[in-house]
Amino acid sequence: MAPFLLSLSISRLAWWASGLILALGFLKLAHLLLRRQKLARAMDRFPGPPTHWLFGHALEIQQTGSLDKVVSWAHQFPHAHPLWFGQFIGFLNIYDPDYAKAVYSRGDPKASDVYDFFLQWIGKGLLVLEGPKWHQHRKLLTPGFHYDVLKPYVAVFADSTRSMLDTWEKKAREDKSFDIFGDVGRMALDTLMKCTFGKGDSGLGQRDHSYYLAINELTLLMQQRLESFQYHNDFIYWLTPHGRRFLRACQVAHDHTDHVIRERKAALKNEKEWEKIQKKRHLDFLDILLGARDEGGIKLSDADLRAEVDTFMFEGHDTTTSGIAWFLYCMALYPEHQHRCREEVQEILGDQDTFQWDDLSKMTYLTMCIKESFRLYPPVPQVYRQLSKPVTFSDGRSLPAGSLVSLHIYALHRNGAVWPDPEVFNPLRFSPENSVGRHPFAFMPFSAGPRNCIGQQFAMNEMKVVTALCLLRFEFSVDPLRPPIKIPQLILRSKNGIHLHLKSLSPGSMK
Ligand code: HEM
């Protein structure tokens, strides 16, 4: 009798469990359908490209050339159009300065549908945080970018760049083009580790190299996840091979971060080191984090600390890598501008061996070229928000609270209404005369408003020092057989790398 009763209760339990799962699935589906209806209704005054019944626009977005596809949509649908990643995540994709101002000047929260995909990797650091905690962390970390802190970094940028250029001397002698992206990436990571995390002069170790590769993997998988609706659910994603690859790469990144934090904490235990830090007039980023206390005197939790280190480690090197690599590509494409930049930096350098802080403000033509390359090749091509309150745009159309907005920086920067002949590389657009009267939200490589990039001054300084030294050492030209293929992968990358020919300009060079 007992086994019979037992099997009866097990089968009843199984019946109830499957009923419960079915009901939960049904509720979830109903919730998603309602949400879709709400998002779609909010955007019904915005015409857009036709959508696939299941994939939305994901199929077009996943294809190579998707960035220029959006530019072609922007010609068809002025200001904005709906953009669906699958059936349930729909953004109003905007690329008009007035539209950008209406949303990005207000500081609405990040769209959790996208930024939550970051959580497993970089946790709730500055990029993802919201509300009072974001405010507290932003206030805490801003002094880490004070100009007195940034000043000595000029020498660090120069040192790391020189090591990269020495390896390029050898590669240039081989007389064939090579992909510069990886070398620039490792150099940018090296400078970041030295400036922001106080690493010594030893250069990158094996752990740093693994970290660098893990970030490539993570940005690729994140972008794929965003564009593939079947990966949006956490539970399903972690079961897929992609999800497991993501977790493995996170582990490598976290091991790297933990190591950096552990090393600094150990150094702080040493009293002399602590005294040295106390005497520094301006603390570096890691000193600030480790010394931070809230009003009640409580330290940052380990999770907060790790999230900020992970955030800065990623944001601080991958973005500048993209900026520098695409800038050098622009120089290779437009030798006349390359030549003019080189003449300018040669004149500024004069008899000195290296650049000084004051030299950076004299690099006016180079700065215009950097801005023009940011316009055509923005290192961060797209950013996302969720409206906390309704917005009405300049043409009277509006969106209710809760709507999702994607700012397509790449298409904004190629908007013909703001940028005449948008595809032409013309640094003079950024001369003081030509900049007068330009819409303040027409050029947004670092985003704008309260959630703009905290590291933009650091990034601009690094861009100037690194690119000036590159131009002094080499002449760059394109490889016509291997033009780069632009792909958004959180940052702007090239699917096939950025292959350039380099000719050494050093007096002792063989060429
Ligand atoms: C060329 C280089 C860079 C570009 C183009 C760039 C671009 C951006 C953009 C567009 C955002 C807004 C992201 C969003 O809304 O989702 C952002 C935010 C951020 N960036 Fe940068 N960035 C660069 C370099 C850096 C560097 C060097 C650091 C740190 C050392 C950094 C740290 C951050 C952080 C922490 C945020 C989040 C800020 C907040 O929400 O308060 N970035 N960056």
Side-chain angles (χ1 to χ4, degrees):
M1 196 67 179
F4 172 72
L5 279 179
L6 189 67
S7 74
L8 195 72
S9 56
I10 288 178
S11 67
R12 192 164 283 178
L13 208 65
W15 190 87
W16 276 106
S18 37
L20 193 69
I21 290 169
L22 216 68
L24 285 177
F26 183 74
L27 277 178
K28 178 78 184 164
L29 188 68
H31 168 78
L32 287 172
L33 287 170
L34 275 176
R35 184 167 188 256
R36 179 193 154 75
Q37 205 182 23
K38 213 169 134 200
L39 289 173
R41 199 175 309 129
M43 292 193 283
D44 64 3
R45 293 191 60 201
F46 297 89
T51 52
H52 185 277
W53 69 272
L54 182 62
F55 297 107
H57 300 108
L59 295 179
E60 283 104 325
I61 291 298
Q62 283 164 358
Q63 274 166 24
T64 306
S66 67
L67 289 165
D68 290 313
K69 180 88 199 166
V70 174
V71 173
S72 76
W73 285 339
H75 291 149
Q76 263 178 287
F77 308 102
H79 313 304
H81 67 74
L83 181 67
W84 288 91
F85 297 135
Q87 281 302 299
F88 304 117
I89 302 192
F91 289 87
L92 184 70
N93 189 38
I94 64 176
Y95 28 75
D96 168 277
D98 278 330
Y99 270 58
K101 183 174 173 199
V103 177
Y104 283 76
S105 58
R106 311 196 308 187
D108 288 76
K110 304 283 171 88
S112 56
D113 291 280
V114 176
Y115 292 81
D116 278 1
F117 296 155
F118 274 111
L119 292 180
Q120 185 71 27
W121 166 19
I122 57 173
K124 288 211 164 189
L126 209 53
L127 182 73
V128 184
L129 275 175
E130 295 303 339
K133 198 159 174 191
W134 167 76
H135 213 270
Q136 183 206 357
H137 282 213
R138 178 97 185 192
K139 215 167 118 200
L140 183 76
L141 291 168
T142 299
F145 295 91
H146 186 280
Y147 103 120
D148 277 340
V149 179
L150 297 182
K151 257 179 169 178
Y153 293 169
V154 171
V156 182
F157 297 149
D159 274 354
S160 298
T161 310
R162 282 203 195 92
S163 310
M164 174 181 79
L165 297 179
D166 290 343
T167 65
W168 282 3
E169 289 284 357
K170 284 183 213 128
K171 290 188 185 179
R173 266 182 237 128
E174 286 171 19
D175 219 9
K176 52 183 192 219
S177 74
F178 62 90
D179 176 18
I180 61 162
F181 210 98
D183 291 337
V184 172
R186 282 179 285 273
M187 181 276 301
L189 180 60
D190 187 43
T191 56
L192 187 80
M193 298 286 295
K194 287 176 181 159
C195 296
T196 320
F197 299 104
K199 188 175 195 281
D201 289 333
S202 53
L204 296 186
Q206 185 49 44
R207 196 188 299 267
D208 304 307
H209 286 293
S210 310
Y211 171 79
Y212 178 77
L213 295 177
I215 297 301
N216 278 353
E217 175 90 333
L218 288 166
T219 55
L220 170 77
L221 293 169
M222 271 271 304
Q223 186 77 29
Q224 286 177 346
R225 185 171 183 196
L226 175 63
E227 293 166 0
S228 316
F229 73 92
Q230 64 276 26
Y231 291 154
H232 287 178
N233 180 284
D234 269 351
F235 180 72
I236 296 173
Y237 187 60
W238 303 135
L239 293 176
T240 65
H242 271 73
R244 288 201 297 275
R245 261 169 69 193
F246 191 89
L247 291 176
R248 277 197 298 274
C250 277
Q251 191 58 50
V252 175
H254 293 160
D255 284 350
H256 185 257
T257 309
D258 290 343
H259 181 74
V260 169
I261 297 175
R262 247 195 335 268
E263 275 203 335
R264 178 62 71 92
K265 277 188 173 166
L268 287 184
K269 280 198 186 131
N270 171 337
E271 261 179 54
K272 271 199 187 139
E273 192 64 26
W274 179 239
E275 276 167 27
K276 233 167 50 193
I277 288 170
Q278 293 285 303
K279 276 192 203 137
K280 275 197 213 168
R281 212 157 67 82
H282 291 280
L283 305 178
D284 78 13
F285 171 81
L286 204 49
D287 298 330
I288 293 176
L289 282 176
L290 289 171
R293 301 279 183 282
D294 67 11
E295 296 89 52
I298 311 279
K299 282 198 221 170
L300 280 189
S301 71
D302 281 352
D304 283 351
L305 183 68
R306 203 226 243 159
E308 290 304 356
V309 173
D310 272 324
T311 299
F312 277 77
M313 195 94 78
F314 157 59
E315 279 280 332
H317 92 277
D318 228 21
T319 46
T320 46
T321 301
S322 168
I324 294 164
W326 286 104
F327 170 86
L328 292 176
Y329 173 66
C330 289
M331 292 294 97
L333 262 185
Y334 307 108
E336 67 283 17
H337 298 298
Q338 178 179 166
H339 182 66
R340 220 172 135 181
C341 285
R342 183 173 298 111
E343 277 189 344
E344 180 183 77
V345 291
Q346 276 169 342
E347 201 169 303
I348 294 169
L349 191 65
D351 305 331
Q352 313 173 94
D353 325 328
T354 190
F355 294 110
Q356 308 299 320
W357 172 260
D358 291 340
D359 293 331
L360 305 190
S361 57
K362 298 179 197 153
M363 299 176 176
T364 49
Y365 199 74
L366 180 78
T367 305
M368 289 195 284
C369 288
I370 291 175
K371 288 187 178 171
E372 183 63 345
S373 81
F374 276 171
R375 184 183 71 79
L376 284 168
Y377 302 96
V380 180
Q382 208 170 354
V383 291
Y384 310 86
R385 297 288 184 272
Q386 178 153 29
L387 299 186
S388 57
K389 51 184 194 257
V391 68
T392 301
F393 296 112
S394 47
D395 56 6
R397 292 187 288 183
S398 59
L399 282 179
S403 303
L404 302 173
V405 173
S406 128
L407 171 66
H408 206 280
I409 299 178
Y410 183 90
L412 172 78
H413 287 179
R414 288 168 190 248
N415 181 338
V418 195
W419 306 101
D421 300 322
E423 300 298 327
V424 174
F425 185 89
N426 175 13
L428 292 176
R429 295 175 200 274
F430 291 99
S431 70
E433 315 79 84
N434 292 336
S435 303
V436 173
R438 178 167 305 132
H439 197 298
F441 286 74
F443 180 60
M444 297 177 59
F446 295 107
S447 188
R451 298 303 297 260
N452 67 358
C453 175
I454 195 175
Q456 55 188 293
Q457 204 50 53
F458 177 105
M460 279 308 286
N461 295 346
E462 178 172 354
M463 289 284 304
K464 288 184 197 175
V465 175
V466 175
T467 57
L469 290 172
C470 288
L471 293 173
L472 285 171
R473 221 28 130 92
F474 294 99
E475 200 174 280
F476 295 86
S477 52
V478 290
D479 180 345
L481 300 177
R482 300 170 105 164
I485 301 167
K486 289 167 286 187
I487 44 160
Q489 214 176 290
L490 305 187
I491 59 148
L492 184 67
R493 289 188 196 274
S494 164
K495 197 174 174 181
N496 54 342
I498 295 188
H499 287 263
L500 299 180
H501 286 284
L502 270 63
K503 183 172 154 216
S504 175
L505 299 171
S506 308
S509 147
M510 303 286 288
K511 301 193 80 202

